[in-house]
Amino acid sequence: FRAERFRRRHTSAALGIRSTIEIASVPTRAMSTPTLPHQTLFNALLLCMLLSHVNSLQLSTSTRLPGVSTFKAHAFLSTPSNWPKIVASSFSVQPVRGNSYSQTDESMVVGDVVDEIFGLPPLLPLSVRWTCERSNSNTGELVFYSTDGLANVAKDCSMIFAIREEERKESKDGCVVDFTMQYEPVSPLATLAMPILEVDNNVAIRVLLRIWCT
């Protein structure tokens, strides 16, 4: 059996992901033989192992908000009670006991903490605890971070908003919202769910944000 080294590089411009998978010393004859059930199971397990070792994933999207100032867009996005209005997977938001931030219908400032509830509570309650790390309505910066992320799925999660004035001359008081989601997978589920998250983010930013914020 002659051993070869295979390298596969996958690039997805839509998701903004670039990953490299390298498998060394693979017998070439085995590649040409029919796939047996136990080989299929082994390949599936190998794929799961590779997916679980991805360091960090990122999703990005953006939208124009005609007639909406950067201050209005910043105020809307920094108010947690607005998140379930535009994010289909978000069920509700709750204040965290012991934190000074208690009114989720008010804009968060640096240091404020809130729990965002996902899933189908109470049957399937999932939550992420977000901390506001940066918030500046003048520069349009808005960053939320979660160290623990979603238990057993993802950690070191970030929601990064960059809000800037519309550059088109014909646009009056409009703005552009750039959104980036970053997280580190803990299980293969976090990687496999990226196409669903991409749709969720695009609907939230490109469709529902324009409806609720204008």
Side-chain angles (χ1 to χ4, degrees):
F1 294 93
R2 183 168 58 90
E4 293 183 355
R5 179 178 296 270
F6 297 88
R7 176 180 291 267
R8 179 180 302 168
R9 182 177 296 275
H10 171 71
T11 303
S12 173
L15 299 182
I17 311 169
R18 176 171 295 174
S19 60
T20 301
I21 301 175
E22 183 174 329
I23 305 175
S25 302
V26 180
T28 56
R29 187 177 299 177
M31 301 287 289
S32 61
T33 57
T35 302
L36 300 177
H38 69 277
Q39 290 176 321
T40 302
L41 177 60
F42 172 78
N43 291 338
L45 292 174
L46 179 61
L47 177 61
C48 288
M49 291 176 63
L50 291 171
L51 291 177
S52 64
H53 284 79
V54 176
N55 291 329
S56 181
L57 298 177
Q58 177 176 301
L59 292 169
S60 299
T61 188
S62 63
T63 191
R64 293 175 53 245
L65 298 178
V68 178
S69 68
T70 57
F71 295 97
K72 182 178 179 180
H74 186 279
F76 182 91
L77 292 169
S78 62
T79 303
S81 61
N82 290 327
W83 299 348
K85 297 177 182 178
I86 64 174
V87 182
S89 59
S90 178
F91 183 80
S92 64
V93 290
Q94 298 177 354
V96 176
R97 181 178 300 179
N99 187 260
S100 58
Y101 182 76
S102 60
Q103 301 295 326
T104 59
D105 58 351
E106 297 179 357
S107 293
M108 294 178 70
V109 298
V110 175
D112 286 345
V113 183
V114 70
D115 284 337
E116 186 175 15
I117 313 301
F118 299 90
L120 298 172
L123 299 178
L124 186 62
L126 304 173
S127 66
V128 175
R129 178 160 295 182
W130 295 107
T131 299
C132 182
E133 287 203 332
R134 278 182 285 175
S135 180
N136 190 322
S137 59
N138 293 317
T139 61
E141 289 182 289
L142 185 60
V143 179
F144 300 96
Y145 180 75
S146 177
T147 303
D148 297 330
L150 190 60
N152 301 317
V153 177
K155 64 179 182 178
D156 293 330
C157 305
S158 297
M159 294 194 298
I160 305 171
F161 296 94
I163 308 167
R164 64 184 192 277
E165 292 183 354
E166 175 64 77
E167 296 179 355
R168 297 187 180 186
K169 294 181 179 180
E170 64 273 17
S171 178
K172 184 179 180 181
D173 297 328
C175 69
V176 175
V177 177
D178 297 321
F179 173 65
T180 300
M181 171 188 287
Q182 296 176 341
Y183 62 91
E184 183 177 336
V186 175
S187 76
L189 178 62
T191 305
L192 296 173
M194 288 201 73
I196 299 176
L197 291 175
E198 183 189 26
V199 172
D200 196 31
N201 288 348
N202 282 326
V203 171
I205 301 300
R206 296 184 179 183
V207 180
L208 296 179
L209 178 61
R210 299 188 69 169
I211 294 174
W212 283 95
C213 196
T214 55

Short mmCIF file of all heavy atoms in Angstrom, two decimals, residues 4-5 12 25-26 30 44 49 110-111 114 127 139 154 170 177 187 196-197 200 207 212:
data_model
loop_
_atom_site.label_atom_id
_atom_site.label_comp_id
_atom_site.label_asym_id
_atom_site.label_seq_id
_atom_site.Cartn_x
_atom_site.Cartn_y
_atom_site.Cartn_z
N GLU A 4 -0.16 8.32 0.96
CA GLU A 4 -0.10 9.68 0.45
C GLU A 4 -0.64 10.62 1.50
O GLU A 4 -1.34 10.22 2.41
CB GLU A 4 -0.92 9.82 -0.84
CG GLU A 4 -0.33 9.03 -2.01
CD GLU A 4 -1.13 9.26 -3.28
OE1 GLU A 4 -2.16 9.95 -3.19
OE2 GLU A 4 -0.71 8.75 -4.35
N ARG A 5 -0.34 11.91 1.30
CA ARG A 5 -0.84 12.95 2.21
C ARG A 5 -1.86 13.79 1.46
O ARG A 5 -1.59 14.28 0.37
CB ARG A 5 0.31 13.83 2.69
CG ARG A 5 -0.12 14.96 3.62
CD ARG A 5 1.10 15.75 4.08
NE ARG A 5 2.00 14.93 4.87
CZ ARG A 5 1.93 14.79 6.18
NH1 ARG A 5 0.98 15.43 6.85
NH2 ARG A 5 2.79 14.05 6.83
N SER A 12 -15.61 29.32 2.35
CA SER A 12 -16.98 29.73 2.10
C SER A 12 -17.07 31.23 2.26
O SER A 12 -16.97 31.74 3.37
CB SER A 12 -17.94 29.03 3.06
OG SER A 12 -19.23 29.56 2.94
N SER A 25 -1.02 9.93 5.72
CA SER A 25 -0.83 8.49 5.62
C SER A 25 -2.13 7.75 5.40
O SER A 25 -2.51 6.87 6.17
CB SER A 25 -0.13 7.95 6.88
OG SER A 25 1.10 8.59 7.06
N VAL A 26 -2.84 8.07 4.32
CA VAL A 26 -4.07 7.38 3.96
C VAL A 26 -3.76 6.40 2.84
O VAL A 26 -3.30 6.81 1.77
CB VAL A 26 -5.15 8.37 3.49
CG1 VAL A 26 -6.43 7.63 3.11
CG2 VAL A 26 -5.43 9.38 4.57
N ALA A 30 -7.36 1.91 -0.23
CA ALA A 30 -8.59 1.97 0.56
C ALA A 30 -9.54 3.00 0.00
O ALA A 30 -10.75 2.90 0.16
CB ALA A 30 -8.25 2.32 2.01
N ALA A 44 -17.77 9.32 9.92
CA ALA A 44 -18.66 10.26 10.62
C ALA A 44 -18.04 10.70 11.94
O ALA A 44 -18.08 11.88 12.30
CB ALA A 44 -20.02 9.62 10.85
N MET A 49 -14.96 14.79 15.16
CA MET A 49 -13.76 15.16 15.90
C MET A 49 -13.09 16.38 15.27
O MET A 49 -12.65 17.30 15.97
CB MET A 49 -12.78 13.98 15.93
CG MET A 49 -13.24 12.81 16.78
SD MET A 49 -12.10 11.41 16.67
CE MET A 49 -10.62 12.15 17.36
N VAL A 110 -21.62 49.83 29.40
CA VAL A 110 -20.50 48.92 29.69
C VAL A 110 -20.61 48.36 31.11
O VAL A 110 -20.79 49.11 32.07
CB VAL A 110 -19.16 49.66 29.51
CG1 VAL A 110 -17.99 48.75 29.92
CG2 VAL A 110 -18.99 50.09 28.06
N GLY A 111 -20.54 47.05 31.22
CA GLY A 111 -20.63 46.38 32.51
C GLY A 111 -21.98 45.78 32.80
O GLY A 111 -22.10 44.92 33.69
N VAL A 114 -27.07 40.71 31.02
CA VAL A 114 -28.44 40.26 30.78
C VAL A 114 -28.42 38.81 30.28
O VAL A 114 -27.43 38.38 29.65
CB VAL A 114 -29.14 41.17 29.74
CG1 VAL A 114 -28.55 40.98 28.36
CG2 VAL A 114 -30.64 40.93 29.72
N SER A 127 -29.86 29.37 27.39
CA SER A 127 -29.61 30.78 27.68
C SER A 127 -28.14 31.14 27.49
O SER A 127 -27.25 30.29 27.61
CB SER A 127 -30.03 31.13 29.11
OG SER A 127 -29.20 30.47 30.06
N THR A 139 -19.53 56.88 18.22
CA THR A 139 -18.72 56.16 17.22
C THR A 139 -19.49 54.98 16.62
O THR A 139 -19.02 54.39 15.64
CB THR A 139 -17.43 55.63 17.86
OG1 THR A 139 -17.75 54.72 18.92
CG2 THR A 139 -16.60 56.79 18.43
N ALA A 154 -21.18 26.14 22.68
CA ALA A 154 -20.22 27.15 22.24
C ALA A 154 -19.81 28.02 23.42
O ALA A 154 -20.56 28.18 24.38
CB ALA A 154 -20.82 28.02 21.13
N GLU A 170 -27.62 60.79 -1.73
CA GLU A 170 -29.06 60.93 -1.82
C GLU A 170 -29.78 60.44 -0.56
O GLU A 170 -30.98 60.65 -0.39
CB GLU A 170 -29.59 60.15 -3.03
CG GLU A 170 -29.38 58.64 -2.96
CD GLU A 170 -28.02 58.20 -3.51
OE1 GLU A 170 -27.14 59.07 -3.63
OE2 GLU A 170 -27.86 57.01 -3.79
N VAL A 177 -25.54 49.30 9.28
CA VAL A 177 -25.23 48.46 10.45
C VAL A 177 -24.48 47.23 9.98
O VAL A 177 -25.00 46.44 9.17
CB VAL A 177 -26.52 48.04 11.18
CG1 VAL A 177 -26.17 47.10 12.34
CG2 VAL A 177 -27.27 49.26 11.70
N SER A 187 -18.88 21.75 20.74
CA SER A 187 -19.35 20.49 20.17
C SER A 187 -19.53 20.67 18.66
O SER A 187 -19.65 21.80 18.17
CB SER A 187 -20.67 20.07 20.81
OG SER A 187 -21.74 20.84 20.29
N ILE A 196 -27.82 27.58 9.62
CA ILE A 196 -29.05 28.05 10.26
C ILE A 196 -28.82 29.41 10.91
O ILE A 196 -29.66 30.31 10.81
CB ILE A 196 -29.53 27.02 11.30
CG1 ILE A 196 -29.82 25.68 10.63
CG2 ILE A 196 -30.76 27.54 12.05
CD1 ILE A 196 -30.20 24.58 11.59
N LEU A 197 -27.67 29.56 11.56
CA LEU A 197 -27.35 30.84 12.20
C LEU A 197 -27.19 31.95 11.17
O LEU A 197 -27.56 33.10 11.42
CB LEU A 197 -26.07 30.70 13.03
CG LEU A 197 -26.16 29.83 14.29
CD1 LEU A 197 -24.79 29.68 14.92
CD2 LEU A 197 -27.15 30.41 15.27
N ASP A 200 -30.62 33.03 10.25
CA ASP A 200 -31.19 33.74 11.39
C ASP A 200 -30.64 35.16 11.48
O ASP A 200 -31.39 36.13 11.69
CB ASP A 200 -30.88 32.96 12.67
CG ASP A 200 -31.73 33.41 13.85
OD1 ASP A 200 -32.88 33.83 13.62
OD2 ASP A 200 -31.26 33.31 15.00
N VAL A 207 -33.80 42.20 7.43
CA VAL A 207 -35.25 42.28 7.26
C VAL A 207 -35.93 42.89 8.48
O VAL A 207 -36.50 43.99 8.41
CB VAL A 207 -35.85 40.89 6.96
CG1 VAL A 207 -37.37 40.99 6.78
CG2 VAL A 207 -35.20 40.28 5.72
N TRP A 212 -38.50 47.09 12.35
CA TRP A 212 -38.73 47.56 13.72
C TRP A 212 -38.01 48.87 14.03
O TRP A 212 -38.43 49.62 14.92
CB TRP A 212 -38.28 46.51 14.73
CG TRP A 212 -39.24 45.38 14.87
CD1 TRP A 212 -39.20 44.17 14.23
CD2 TRP A 212 -40.40 45.35 15.71
NE1 TRP A 212 -40.27 43.39 14.61
CE2 TRP A 212 -41.02 44.09 15.52
CE3 TRP A 212 -40.97 46.27 16.59
CZ2 TRP A 212 -42.20 43.73 16.18
CZ3 TRP A 212 -42.14 45.90 17.26
CH2 TRP A 212 -42.73 44.65 17.06
#
